[in-house]
Amino acid sequence: MQTFPIAHAVHNRYTELYQDKPLVVRSPGRVNIIGEHTDYNEGFVLPAAIDKAAYVAIGHRSDNNIRLFAEELDETFESSLSTLAPSDKGWPNYILGVADQFLKSGYTIGGFNLVLSGDVPIGAGLSSSAAIECATGFALNELFQTAIPRLELVKMAQRAEHLFAGVRVGIMDMFASAFGKKDHVIKLDCRSLDYEYVPLKMEGIKIVLFNTNIEHSLASSEYNTRRQQCEAGVALIQKHHPEVHSLRDATMAMLHQYVEPVDALIYKRCKYVVEEKERLLQGCEDLRHGDIKALGQKMFQTHDGLSKEYEVSCKELDFLVDRVRNNEAVLGARMMGGGFGGCTINLVREEAIEALVQETTAAYAKQMNRELLTYIALIEDGTSVIPI
Ligand code: GLA
């Protein structure tokens, strides 16, 4: 049986603080193989839950208060169910926002104590926030016996992020955290929310993440802007095709006809999304046939689209992708997640990983004057209670 040292650590911290036995929930971060910025356009995505996760230990209180402790920050935060509001502090919002969703959806919960810890690097594009939100949602659901189905908890986590963190994220991150399955990627249709597990069969190849170590301050405002630009493109098409509800329904021909002549920038953004939609479907077939080389080529194309057309990359991400582009041992690489920093995802032949990490770390330090952090991502199960 798998052991989770951080689950034991949050459990012990809780017991030390509150002399009581808590419930412990683990919820992982995610990678996404291909299909970036497609979720809020009702396209497909191909994420998977990883071996890095958020952990919460939670227990009842006899009043309506909420008392949070963040292990890594050594910080306490207090609030109450009657005064729930976004805080300037940041991290408590991912918990308070979810508690707020329980109340807004009409569920009865009481006060609680919660200890938070985890090993998903923050701001690295691995969805540490979705991991905390899903862990909190599942923990509250168990603690207060609200019997909310998994998919509904995912939607509540997404709404929490919209309202308490102010970012209009799609559903991918929370879905991947909650529905992840060991050694599988999830082919998720973000319109119908139908999903399929596709085995991640990559003999001798591993997923290597290079963390730029950059948290870009523009990330959330630019993210919301990209969403608006996609909506603007849809509005232009809708004048002629009322049946088009999102870029999911749009074709390149429609973009050429109705968007390109009106707004070159909106056209560029929408073009990336429409092409990425198709790339994902083909990439998924490549994976099924074990053609990792073909999948990898598409990842490079995705990166170029994200960098030049969607313009959500940054020089550090571009540097890391360009660096491995002609390396035989790297089958595919691209920036991953919202953008403006965070990680690149690389499919790398196992025997070459050590040398690649060494030489990329040195080059990154020299050219970008920053430390490169590297992780090898293993694909694990989604959110669950950890019995202790
Ligand atoms: C962030 C968001 C996701 C998704 C990606 C881009 O991770 O949280 O919903 O839009 O960016 O694919």
Side-chain angles (χ1 to χ4, degrees):
M1 210 181 106
Q2 220 172 347
T3 58
F4 297 104
I6 306 177
H8 288 271
V10 283
H11 177 277
N12 294 346
R13 175 68 76 201
Y14 189 98
T15 308
E16 180 191 313
L17 289 172
Y18 302 110
Q19 294 76 48
D20 198 5
K21 194 174 153 49
L23 175 87
V24 176
V25 174
R26 166 189 183 276
S27 199
R30 62 104 189 87
V31 289
N32 184 26
I33 304 291
I34 196 163
E36 215 65 89
H37 287 276
T38 45
D39 59 353
Y40 54 85
N41 288 301
E42 299 191 325
F44 288 84
V45 288
L46 205 58
I50 58 174
D51 58 332
K52 296 192 178 298
Y55 296 80
V56 301
I58 196 169
H60 290 282
R61 290 179 63 97
S62 54
D63 54 20
N64 254 345
N65 293 343
I66 297 174
R67 192 159 193 276
L68 312 175
F69 179 72
E71 183 70 37
E72 280 71 27
L73 302 171
D74 193 18
E75 250 176 48
T76 301
F77 184 87
E78 299 198 33
S79 181
S80 151
L81 283 177
S82 48
T83 56
L84 279 176
S87 131
D88 312 332
K89 259 213 179 309
W91 68 268
N93 288 331
Y94 304 113
I95 299 162
L96 303 178
V98 173
D100 178 61
Q101 281 301 313
F102 274 71
L103 299 185
K104 286 208 166 82
S105 310
Y107 296 104
T108 306
I109 59 172
F112 58 90
N113 298 315
L114 184 150
V115 174
L116 168 68
S117 183
D119 57 359
V120 188
I122 293 177
L126 301 178
S127 299
S128 56
S129 53
I132 299 171
E133 287 153 355
C134 288
T136 304
F138 277 71
L140 290 173
N141 193 34
E142 282 292 318
L143 190 69
F144 294 103
Q145 300 280 301
T146 37
I148 305 171
R150 197 169 275 254
L151 182 57
E152 189 51 35
L153 289 170
V154 164
K155 292 180 182 169
M156 287 162 73
Q158 186 191 12
R159 289 198 295 266
E161 178 112 8
H162 289 190
L163 291 181
F164 273 59
V167 193
R168 291 175 63 212
V169 292
I171 202 164
M172 167 168 76
D173 303 348
M174 295 83 188
F175 198 99
S177 188
F179 283 86
K181 180 171 167 177
K182 191 171 172 57
D183 299 331
H184 288 72
V185 294
I186 311 171
K187 182 183 176 194
L188 170 66
D189 178 339
C190 298
R191 168 171 274 174
S192 64
L193 299 183
D194 287 342
Y195 64 98
E196 197 187 328
Y197 292 113
V198 180
L200 188 62
K201 281 189 300 205
M202 300 199 300
E203 266 324 290
I205 295 165
K206 287 219 146 65
I207 298 177
V208 178
L209 305 173
F210 286 138
N211 185 352
T212 56
N213 234 328
I214 292 195
E215 278 182 68
H216 205 286
S217 57
L218 282 179
S220 50
S221 63
E222 286 295 314
Y223 186 93
N224 290 343
T225 305
R226 291 300 174 282
R227 261 194 97 139
Q228 282 160 7
Q229 290 168 331
C230 293
E231 285 159 10
V234 171
L236 288 172
I237 299 172
Q238 256 174 357
K239 288 187 195 157
H240 309 271
H241 288 278
E243 74 282 7
V244 169
H245 293 291
S246 64
L247 288 181
R248 167 72 172 268
D249 305 317
T251 62
M252 278 309 294
M254 290 174 184
L255 293 182
H256 281 308
Q257 207 173 347
Y258 307 118
V259 184
E260 196 174 16
V262 183
D263 192 322
L265 183 68
I266 301 285
Y267 170 74
K268 205 158 68 156
R269 305 289 192 246
C270 295
K271 172 177 178 283
Y272 160 75
V273 173
V274 169
E275 287 178 352
E276 179 72 351
K277 239 175 23 177
E278 204 39 49
R279 230 178 345 247
L280 178 138
L281 295 176
Q282 288 170 10
C284 206
E285 286 315 301
D286 295 339
L287 185 58
R288 276 190 223 278
H289 300 137
D291 191 349
I292 308 304
K293 207 164 177 193
L295 171 64
Q297 283 308 311
K298 294 187 179 67
M299 291 170 68
F300 283 118
Q301 290 166 10
T302 294
H303 182 80
D304 295 339
L306 288 167
S307 176
K308 298 192 177 80
E309 295 175 332
Y310 216 62
E311 294 181 287
V312 292
S313 187
C314 60
K315 70 175 193 304
E316 292 80 1
L317 287 166
D318 289 345
F319 173 82
L320 290 172
V321 171
D322 285 341
R323 187 88 207 165
V324 300
R325 218 180 263 273
N326 296 317
N327 186 329
E328 285 286 300
V330 182
L331 289 97
R334 63 177 194 83
M335 57 149 282
M336 189 176 70
F340 302 105
C343 289
T344 63
I345 175 171
N346 303 264
L347 306 185
V348 188
R349 293 196 197 284
E350 254 170 273
E351 65 279 7
I353 293 178
E354 208 181 310
L356 178 76
V357 169
Q358 268 183 20
E359 80 90 30
T360 313
T361 307
Y364 191 70
K366 185 151 176 252
Q367 305 275 328
M368 299 288 134
N369 209 9
R370 274 178 190 275
E371 189 194 357
L372 184 75
L373 304 175
T374 304
Y375 322 106
I376 294 182
L378 303 177
I379 304 307
E380 290 296 338
D381 284 332
T383 319
S384 70
V385 171
I386 306 292
I388 292 185

